[in-house]
Amino acid sequence: MDDEFKVTPWDVEGMVDYAKLIEEFGTSPLTDELLEKTARLTKSELPIFFRRRFFFSHRDYDKVLADYESGRGFFLYTGRGPSGPMHIGHIIPFFATKWLQEKFGVNLYVQITDDEKFLFKEKLTFDDTKRWAYDNILDIIAVGFDPDKTFIFQDSEFTKIYEMAIPIAKKINYSMARAVFGFTDQSKIGMIFYPAIQAAPTFFEKKRCLIPAAIDQDPYWRLQRDFAESLGYYKTAAIHSKFVPGLMGLEGKMSASKPETAIYLTDDPEEAGKKIWKYALTGGRATAKEQREKGGNPEKCVVFKWFEIFFEPDDKKLMERYHACKSGELLCGQCKRELIERVQAFLKEHQKKRKEAEKKVEKFKYTGELAREQWDKSIPEPLKK
Amino acid sequence: MDDEFKVTPWDVEGMVDYAKLIEEFGTSPLTDELLEKTARLTKSELPIFFRRRFFFSHRDYDKVLADYESGRGFFLYTGRGPSGPMHIGHIIPFFATKWLQEKFGVNLYVQITDDEKFLFKEKLTFDDTKRWAYDNILDIIAVGFDPDKTFIFQDSEFTKIYEMAIPIAKKINYSMARAVFGFTDQSKIGMIFYPAIQAAPTFFEKKRCLIPAAIDQDPYWRLQRDFAESLGYYKTAAIHSKFVPGLMGLEGKMSASKPETAIYLTDDPEEAGKKIWKYALTGGRATAKEQREKGGNPEKCVVFKWFEIFFEPDDKKLMERYHACKSGELLCGQCKRELIERVQAFLKEHQKKRKEAEKKVEKFKYTGELAREQWDKSIPEPLKK
């Protein structure tokens, strides 16, 4: 495997060696034992995200399960930086999060960081990121969370997050922040403060927080784990996912800055199909003849990877596809066409739910049970009269 | 005059040369012409703060008066860092602010920076500064502001200030902030962000903002003036006051960290009298006999300075006191006793109003006309139903 790869919260490059990442980041592998315990506690079959180790690493997930078992409970926290339209790579971890919420019956907080994206993206205005916030929230709601157990909040609106971030911001000095996030003299003071805002939701409840997110976000949580206990809270737990590769290669991750590598959730299904047909890298041979003789290479194929990560929930069928490719029986054109069908069906269904989500925004952001509970704490009593 | 003096937002040391400060800070002297125009526009006699040049310097106060004259108007903004009890040195600028509000009939925003004091004072907890916030607000209300034209807000509560600070925090990079405020690698990220929070209220209205504050706060406003116009707002105007000296000397300023130099607004009047009697530095001679012969030195006398700044509103009587001292006719004991009487009368009156203020807090913070208008913008519509 390529030795050259880089994973930071702002950049993922090269062919990622996930085993090495566990070592480098000092996290723990998500073991069979933990997954079996998850299945047992939830009395459910594990979803493909777990079965196929799309989530592959964790911090304190064992303690989360122990807390659940003992009745102390836990809560979920994840987020989205609204700098543009969401693509398939963005939404997959939300499906895993939905499974966790549903099976464990726990609260979920979704932070929409319109402040962060405005601060970190030179060219975006605050109005831009606020607009993308609304747009992205529709995609998130479409995943199907419980509206009374989910609070979707936007930093620019639910500004109580600032008050919650203050004690955190007294725990982090500039040299710590610079070491973790690579700030320079040119970094804006809003960027430097931002890690405190991202850590604050881990303190929303006096229970252990579990964050399902891609491994590149881990530095934020590592920092949180340095000071959480000194503030009277739990070190946050996390389960870490791999990256969803873009169409053009298994290296790096699907990126909004390279639109031809991504399928957006709002893409017209026809256009999405054409994009996959045109750009998707396969592990195929130079000619159909050669492929029939030598077989394809699913390990090097984006099309197969997408089936594996999301679009083929049936393990048996996935293995059949694998062997059919290896044996030269299934050619790339056929395989791509089958992926396109799945992606188009997914997009149509998602876009229908996304449309319905417009009517649910108010509930998730303000009037659902959990949302109301949180807003209630942020509005001074005399204003409620 | 002593050449060694230092004025920064966090430290005032030595005998301050105010003329030199105008040069160093690049501000303008508050001229006779501007003060005459102030008297003319307000159809009022100038208060002693102006007549005696306790406010001695400004930025764009000429433009503020022009805006008022033309009908565009302006608004006032000042603040208080709640790290302990307020003393006489803290409250005097609020009396000047009250005069401006009353005579010009304008809105006033008072920022209570419980976030700042928690972040900058290692030993204070957030609960401490929130408690001091309430305590200090009573003193501020006791000054007698218009409850429908004044919004007193606490950063930890009126967190919409965070959203307003974000565009500002994208305009200031670390090296700018470090140059102005002297941050180091050990500075907490909350401290580094804080200048954006202090600048935000200058954008509360789309009018010119006038800040009456001691000259040591000027660096904050200088920074604001660098980016205000690029964000579509006015550069803030300011009028700068001198410092109120502590009891033990004319150098530096009255400081809460040296309790024997300060008269607190909550001091028992009897105790306050004893403190003045014991600690107040005068310009007297070694013996009464010598003083009768050579006269005292009011220029070097804290007692006289306090009469001048606040406790003798009558110019004629102040001059009589000056000459009586110079001529050796008025001795220090007598003069001190007269100051003590004035201070005690002031404290009794203030403490009565402070008690009454308890019932007014809600109005100034939440339900007065201006307060409600501001809170209204910060609560999302669906929560108002």
Side-chain angles (χ1 to χ4, degrees):
Chain A
M1 241 187 208
D2 194 344
D3 220 353
E4 295 291 321
F5 68 98
K6 198 174 96 180
V7 175
T8 66
W10 53 93
D11 202 12
V12 175
E13 273 173 26
M15 184 64 85
V16 180
D17 179 342
Y18 289 106
K20 202 165 165 186
L21 220 48
I22 286 180
E23 226 173 275
E24 262 183 31
F25 277 25
T27 64
S28 307
L30 206 54
T31 59
D32 287 344
E33 195 197 331
L34 283 170
L35 292 182
E36 277 155 24
K37 187 167 177 181
T38 302
R40 183 165 53 77
L41 289 175
T42 60
K43 300 183 185 70
S44 302
E45 193 199 354
L46 292 173
I48 61 171
F49 321 106
F50 279 152
R51 288 202 314 269
R52 298 182 192 159
R53 296 293 198 281
F54 179 63
F55 282 87
F56 70 105
S57 152
H58 78 100
R59 291 186 188 272
D60 287 353
Y61 182 57
D62 49 337
K63 293 184 182 163
V64 167
L65 295 181
D67 282 356
Y68 179 78
E69 214 171 4
S70 74
R72 265 195 302 276
F74 68 95
F75 68 98
L76 291 161
Y77 159 41
T78 188
R80 158 75 189 153
S83 57
M86 286 176 80
H87 55 57
I88 284 180
H90 294 131
I91 205 72
I92 291 178
F94 282 96
F95 280 94
T97 306
K98 173 186 148 52
W99 187 88
L100 291 165
Q101 174 177 65
E102 194 180 304
K103 298 302 175 182
F104 287 104
V106 293
N107 287 340
L108 163 66
Y109 300 90
V110 183
Q111 183 178 41
I112 308 296
T113 61
D114 54 355
D115 51 348
E116 175 202 13
K117 288 302 171 186
F118 165 63
L119 287 164
F120 281 77
K121 302 268 177 183
E122 194 49 44
K123 287 182 182 165
L124 289 180
T125 68
F126 210 1
D127 280 341
D128 288 339
T129 63
K130 288 173 184 175
R131 266 194 300 270
W132 283 121
Y134 178 79
D135 182 272
N136 293 177
I137 285 169
L138 296 180
D139 288 310
I140 292 166
I141 291 174
V143 170
F145 296 104
D146 180 335
D148 283 315
K149 285 187 170 161
T150 304
F151 178 37
I152 301 180
F153 64 99
Q154 212 168 314
D155 289 338
S156 71
E157 237 182 45
F158 187 67
T159 51
K160 186 179 170 61
I161 199 74
Y162 172 67
E163 190 226 348
M164 302 181 70
I166 288 292
I168 297 170
K170 196 179 180 176
K171 288 285 178 186
I172 306 173
N173 67 32
Y174 182 63
S175 71
M176 289 160 67
R178 185 182 49 205
V180 177
F181 302 104
F183 296 129
T184 70
D185 276 11
Q186 270 56 58
S187 299
K188 305 302 188 290
I189 62 173
M191 296 164 61
I192 296 169
F193 181 69
Y194 176 72
I197 294 282
Q198 181 149 335
T202 63
F203 297 162
F204 271 19
E205 298 187 10
K206 283 262 178 182
K207 295 176 181 175
R208 205 178 301 273
C209 172
L210 173 64
I211 300 170
I215 184 95
D216 58 339
Q217 296 298 302
D218 189 66
Y220 283 103
W221 322 132
R222 231 178 304 158
L223 202 57
Q224 189 270 8
R225 291 169 58 89
D226 283 344
F227 56 73
E229 290 179 347
S230 74
L231 289 171
Y233 290 88
Y234 287 102
K235 289 181 179 186
T236 190
I239 51 174
H240 305 112
S241 80
K242 297 174 183 170
F243 307 110
V244 178
L247 285 171
M248 295 174 81
L250 291 174
E251 304 80 19
K253 61 176 179 178
M254 193 183 291
S255 168
S257 57
K258 289 166 258 168
E260 68 280 9
T261 73
I263 299 297
Y264 294 99
L265 299 171
T266 45
D267 273 353
D268 171 73
E270 281 308 308
E271 293 303 315
K274 285 182 194 157
K275 219 191 275 183
I276 294 171
W277 187 256
K278 184 167 175 195
Y279 292 112
L281 178 93
T282 67
R285 304 285 173 176
T287 65
K289 183 168 174 288
E290 194 189 340
Q291 185 152 352
R292 279 198 199 90
E293 284 165 20
K294 302 187 182 166
N297 197 343
E299 285 88 356
K300 293 189 173 169
C301 176
V302 169
V303 173
F304 184 79
K305 186 53 88 181
W306 282 29
F307 274 120
E308 179 195 324
I309 291 178
F310 195 66
F311 290 103
E312 180 49 85
D314 186 319
D315 291 350
K316 199 166 145 269
K317 287 186 181 156
L318 187 72
M319 283 318 288
E320 284 168 11
R321 184 177 299 277
Y322 180 86
H323 292 300
C325 171
K326 277 288 207 192
S327 69
E329 182 191 327
L330 177 64
L331 296 191
C332 293
Q334 175 63 14
C335 201
K336 265 194 186 179
R337 271 188 293 274
E338 288 168 13
L339 178 66
I340 288 169
E341 270 171 36
R342 299 280 173 97
V343 171
Q344 289 179 332
F346 167 76
L347 287 178
K348 278 175 196 155
E349 180 65 15
H350 179 82
Q351 288 166 12
K352 205 185 93 205
K353 289 182 179 156
R354 192 179 192 280
K355 184 74 198 152
E356 291 162 11
E358 289 171 13
K359 290 190 298 289
K360 300 179 186 167
V361 173
E362 193 169 304
K363 194 154 188 196
F364 279 96
K365 288 184 79 182
Y366 313 113
T367 61
E369 239 172 75
L370 189 63
R372 206 172 268 285
E373 195 183 303
Q374 290 298 325
W375 277 104
D376 216 49
K377 292 182 206 161
S378 87
I379 299 173
E381 286 306 320
L383 290 167
K384 292 178 190 163
K385 288 172 197 167
Chain B
M1 242 187 207
D2 194 343
D3 220 353
E4 295 292 320
F5 68 98
K6 199 174 96 180
V7 175
T8 66
W10 54 93
D11 202 12
V12 175
E13 273 173 26
M15 183 65 86
V16 180
D17 179 341
Y18 289 106
K20 202 165 164 185
L21 220 48
I22 286 181
E23 226 173 274
E24 262 183 30
F25 277 25
T27 63
S28 307
L30 206 53
T31 59
D32 287 344
E33 194 197 331
L34 283 169
L35 293 181
E36 277 155 23
K37 187 166 178 183
T38 302
R40 182 165 54 77
L41 290 176
T42 60
K43 300 183 186 68
S44 301
E45 193 199 355
L46 292 173
I48 61 171
F49 322 106
F50 279 153
R51 288 202 314 270
R52 298 182 192 160
R53 296 292 198 282
F54 179 64
F55 282 87
F56 70 105
S57 152
H58 78 100
R59 290 185 189 272
D60 286 352
Y61 183 57
D62 49 337
K63 293 184 182 162
V64 167
L65 295 181
D67 282 356
Y68 179 77
E69 214 171 4
S70 75
R72 264 195 303 277
F74 69 95
F75 68 98
L76 291 161
Y77 159 41
T78 188
R80 158 75 189 153
S83 58
M86 286 176 80
H87 55 56
I88 284 180
H90 294 133
I91 205 72
I92 291 177
F94 281 97
F95 280 94
T97 305
K98 173 186 148 53
W99 187 88
L100 290 165
Q101 174 178 64
E102 194 180 304
K103 298 302 175 182
F104 287 104
V106 294
N107 287 340
L108 163 66
Y109 300 90
V110 183
Q111 183 177 41
I112 307 296
T113 61
D114 54 355
D115 51 348
E116 175 202 13
K117 288 302 171 185
F118 165 63
L119 287 163
F120 281 76
K121 302 269 177 183
E122 194 48 43
K123 287 182 182 165
L124 289 180
T125 68
F126 211 0
D127 280 341
D128 288 338
T129 63
K130 287 172 184 176
R131 266 194 301 270
W132 283 121
Y134 177 79
D135 183 272
N136 293 177
I137 285 170
L138 296 180
D139 288 310
I140 292 166
I141 291 174
V143 170
F145 296 104
D146 180 335
D148 283 315
K149 285 187 170 161
T150 304
F151 178 36
I152 301 180
F153 63 100
Q154 212 168 315
D155 289 338
S156 71
E157 237 183 44
F158 187 68
T159 51
K160 187 180 170 59
I161 199 75
Y162 173 67
E163 190 226 347
M164 302 181 71
I166 288 293
I168 297 170
K170 196 179 180 176
K171 288 285 178 186
I172 305 173
N173 68 31
Y174 182 63
S175 72
M176 288 160 69
R178 186 182 49 204
V180 177
F181 302 103
F183 295 130
T184 70
D185 277 11
Q186 270 55 58
S187 299
K188 305 302 188 290
I189 62 173
M191 295 164 61
I192 296 170
F193 182 69
Y194 177 72
I197 295 282
Q198 181 150 335
T202 63
F203 297 163
F204 271 19
E205 299 187 10
K206 283 262 178 182
K207 295 176 180 174
R208 204 179 301 273
C209 172
L210 173 63
I211 300 169
I215 184 98
D216 58 339
Q217 296 298 303
D218 188 66
Y220 282 103
W221 322 132
R222 230 178 304 159
L223 202 57
Q224 190 270 9
R225 292 170 57 90
D226 283 344
F227 56 73
E229 289 178 349
S230 74
L231 289 171
Y233 290 88
Y234 288 102
K235 289 181 179 188
T236 190
I239 50 173
H240 305 112
S241 79
K242 297 175 183 171
F243 307 110
V244 178
L247 285 172
M248 294 173 82
L250 291 175
E251 304 80 18
K253 61 176 178 177
M254 193 183 292
S255 168
S257 58
K258 288 167 259 167
E260 68 280 10
T261 73
I263 299 297
Y264 294 99
L265 299 171
T266 45
D267 273 353
D268 171 74
E270 281 308 307
E271 294 303 315
K274 285 181 194 158
K275 219 191 274 183
I276 294 172
W277 187 255
K278 185 168 174 194
Y279 292 113
L281 177 94
T282 67
R285 304 285 173 176
T287 65
K289 183 167 174 288
E290 194 189 340
Q291 185 152 351
R292 279 198 199 90
E293 284 165 20
K294 301 188 181 164
N297 197 342
E299 284 88 355
K300 292 189 171 168
C301 176
V302 169
V303 173
F304 184 78
K305 185 54 86 181
W306 281 29
F307 274 120
E308 179 194 324
I309 291 178
F310 194 66
F311 290 103
E312 180 50 85
D314 185 320
D315 290 350
K316 198 164 146 270
K317 286 185 181 158
L318 187 72
M319 283 317 288
E320 283 168 11
R321 184 177 298 278
Y322 180 85
H323 292 301
C325 171
K326 276 288 207 192
S327 69
E329 182 191 328
L330 177 65
L331 296 191
C332 293
Q334 174 63 15
C335 201
K336 265 193 186 179
R337 269 188 293 274
E338 288 168 12
L339 178 66
I340 288 170
E341 270 170 35
R342 299 280 173 96
V343 171
Q344 289 179 332
F346 167 76
L347 287 178
K348 278 176 196 154
E349 180 65 16
H350 179 82
Q351 287 166 12
K352 205 186 92 205
K353 289 182 180 157
R354 193 179 192 279
K355 184 73 198 153
E356 291 162 9
E358 289 172 12
K359 291 190 297 289
K360 300 179 186 167
V361 173
E362 194 169 302
K363 194 154 189 196
F364 279 96
K365 288 184 78 182
Y366 313 112
T367 60
E369 239 172 75
L370 189 63
R372 206 172 267 286
E373 194 183 303
Q374 290 298 324
W375 277 104
D376 215 49
K377 292 183 207 162
S378 86
I379 299 173
E381 285 306 320
L383 290 168
K384 292 178 192 162
K385 288 172 195 165

